[in-house]
Amino acid sequence: MSNVTYTQDVHQAWGGVIPELASRAHEARIIPVVDAAINNAKITKQSISAIAFTRGPGLPGSLMVGVSFAKAMALSLNLPLIDVHHMQAHILAHFIKTPGQEFNPPQFPFLCLTVSGGHTQIVKINSYFDFEVIGETIDDAAGEAFDKTAKLLGLPYPGGPLIDKYAKMGDPTKFSFAKPQIKDYDFSFSGFKTSVLYSLQKWQAENPNFVEENLADLCASIQKTIVDVLIDKMKKAVKEYKVQDIALAGGVSANSGLRHAFEKLGKDLKVNTHIPPFSYCTDNAAMIAITGYHKYLAKDFTGQDISAMARWEM
Ligand code: KG4
Ligand code: ZN
């Protein structure tokens, strides 16, 4: 009914998220954002059936603001509370119905490639509540690989969307970077990041304007390396798990190179691909609400005695 997002610009000046600034911005914005959501939906607080909130995983200070707010609101309105796992919510974003838009969710069981600023996972989803993580990153997440290499190029935070933008004008075969080979369905991006760093140091020693002169080709090549690593693992997983549906989730699924490669993978392997609308890819409240909705139908509530989980296995 409404999906309000407040983006914290305060982190741009620092080239990354500063946890304390994030908590403070959450504290300052949470009431105006909830108010806007209620007003946009044209409902009253009294017509709400339950409060769903993100319990984790994530930055503890930010999570605690949301958890405390949700508990207080539920207590004051005498409503049930529903705790939501952030990564489960990214996946269940596929089940959000948008008025006036076609609704074609993935069929169980399906495989989801979840790629965000903090996570990179391949998950097998058997039902709304039955999730099996079959592979994940052992170091950096895909979003971090985008953001950290963007920083090496002198781009502001978050650099992922900017790499995407410049990559559209560049040649992805111009430069090649290390693609770490990790067993089974796990990922690793730290070796790739180091390879970009050392290559740039070498090229810039020869030509101080190297990055400016080659920005589009560098971005296209960086993007292609990250996308290839993700798609290769996904391809292997689809063949082994023999699913008919595959899905993309998390902030990095906004990347145009990844969306394109994912569609192509589906065509090549003759499986159905599902990519949520852009506004449901990056962090948003609708994905928490849809997860809350399914937990509500299952009467899966939580008490006032819980707290935030910075780390939380799905
Ligand atoms: O899921 P998300 O919004 O927040 C987390 O839970 O982490 O993901 C944010 C991540 C950031 O690393 C950001 O750079 C990346 O998603 N991202 C992109 C694009 N849009 C967002 N990365 C590459 N290309 C994009 N178009
Ligand atoms: Zn996220």
Side-chain angles (χ1 to χ4, degrees), residues 159-170:
L162 292 167
I163 293 209
D164 192 0
K165 181 180 144 192
Y166 294 117
K168 292 194 175 103
M169 299 172 277

Side-chain angles (χ1 to χ4, degrees), residues 12 15 147 150-151 154-160 162:
Q12 269 194 5
D147 297 338
K151 199 171 174 181
L155 299 173
Y157 179 85
L162 292 167

Side-chain angles (χ1 to χ4, degrees), residues 86-87 90 114-119 250-251 281-284 287:
H86 185 81
M87 302 312 292
H90 267 302
T114 312
V115 274
S116 74
H119 290 83
C281 287
T282 47
D283 285 353
N284 66 87
M287 71 186 198

Side-chain angles (χ1 to χ4, degrees), residues 10-146:
V10 61
H11 307 292
Q12 269 194 5
W14 305 95
V17 174
I18 306 290
E20 183 171 339
L21 294 182
S23 317
R24 288 174 184 273
H26 273 293
E27 190 176 38
R29 296 311 304 174
I30 194 155
I31 289 181
V33 164
V34 171
D35 258 346
I38 291 170
N39 291 338
N40 292 358
K42 299 190 172 57
I43 58 165
T44 61
K45 287 199 280 282
Q46 284 64 35
S47 63
I48 295 171
S49 322
I51 309 281
F53 64 96
T54 308
R55 186 173 176 192
L59 291 174
S62 298
L63 292 169
M64 282 164 74
V65 173
V67 172
S68 303
F69 181 85
K71 284 202 227 176
M73 189 165 174
L75 194 63
S76 69
L77 295 171
N78 197 22
L79 293 174
L81 262 179
I82 302 171
D83 60 338
V84 171
H85 191 290
H86 185 81
M87 302 312 292
Q88 182 183 12
H90 267 302
I91 295 171
L92 295 188
H94 285 278
F95 297 91
I96 301 170
K97 283 183 201 158
T98 309
Q101 276 180 28
E102 189 194 355
F103 183 59
N104 176 28
Q107 302 293 307
F108 301 121
F110 65 96
L111 283 181
C112 187
L113 173 64
T114 312
V115 274
S116 74
H119 290 83
T120 298
Q121 296 181 322
I122 297 181
V123 184
K124 181 162 175 266
I125 296 96
N126 302 314
S127 77
Y128 292 121
F129 311 115
D130 181 1
F131 288 62
E132 229 176 291
V133 178
I134 65 170
E136 60 192 326
T137 183
I138 59 165
D139 42 56
D140 287 352
E144 276 179 293
F146 272 105

Side-chain angles (χ1 to χ4, degrees), residues 104-300:
N104 176 28
Q107 302 293 307
F108 301 121
F110 65 96
L111 283 181
C112 187
L113 173 64
T114 312
V115 274
S116 74
H119 290 83
T120 298
Q121 296 181 322
I122 297 181
V123 184
K124 181 162 175 266
I125 296 96
N126 302 314
S127 77
Y128 292 121
F129 311 115
D130 181 1
F131 288 62
E132 229 176 291
V133 178
I134 65 170
E136 60 192 326
T137 183
I138 59 165
D139 42 56
D140 287 352
E144 276 179 293
F146 272 105
D147 297 338
K148 289 180 178 174
T149 48
K151 199 171 174 181
L152 296 175
L153 298 175
L155 299 173
Y157 179 85
L162 292 167
I163 293 209
D164 192 0
K165 181 180 144 192
Y166 294 117
K168 292 194 175 103
M169 299 172 277
D171 173 3
T173 61
K174 186 79 180 280
F175 303 107
S176 65
F177 301 109
K179 269 191 215 169
Q181 303 297 322
I182 304 294
K183 68 164 180 49
D184 301 332
Y185 300 106
D186 287 342
F187 300 91
S188 164
F189 288 103
S190 72
F192 156 74
K193 180 185 66 191
T194 314
S195 123
V196 174
L197 173 69
Y198 289 164
S199 302
L200 287 176
Q201 282 173 347
K202 191 175 108 224
W203 296 327
Q204 282 175 311
E206 292 158 10
N207 171 10
N209 297 325
F210 187 85
V211 169
E212 294 78 65
E213 288 168 14
N214 294 279
L215 187 61
D217 292 341
L218 283 166
C219 287
S221 304
I222 286 171
Q223 178 166 301
K224 182 180 186 321
T225 311
I226 299 173
V227 169
D228 282 355
V229 168
L230 296 171
I231 295 291
D232 285 353
K233 291 279 170 152
M234 199 58 190
K235 187 175 192 173
K236 190 172 148 176
V238 175
K239 286 183 177 165
E240 184 181 329
Y241 287 86
K242 298 185 176 52
V243 290
Q244 270 314 301
D245 286 58
I246 58 172
L248 201 53
V252 181
S253 52
N255 182 267
S256 57
L258 180 59
R259 293 171 95 95
H260 191 256
F262 200 77
E263 295 290 7
K264 184 174 178 303
L265 177 71
K267 282 204 185 82
D268 291 350
L269 299 180
K270 299 190 172 54
V271 295
N272 307 313
T273 51
H274 302 269
I275 305 179
F278 193 78
S279 56
Y280 301 149
C281 287
T282 47
D283 285 353
N284 66 87
M287 71 186 198
I288 308 302
I290 191 72
T291 308
Y293 171 75
H294 287 290
K295 289 186 92 167
Y296 181 84
L297 296 183
K299 296 194 169 53
D300 186 357

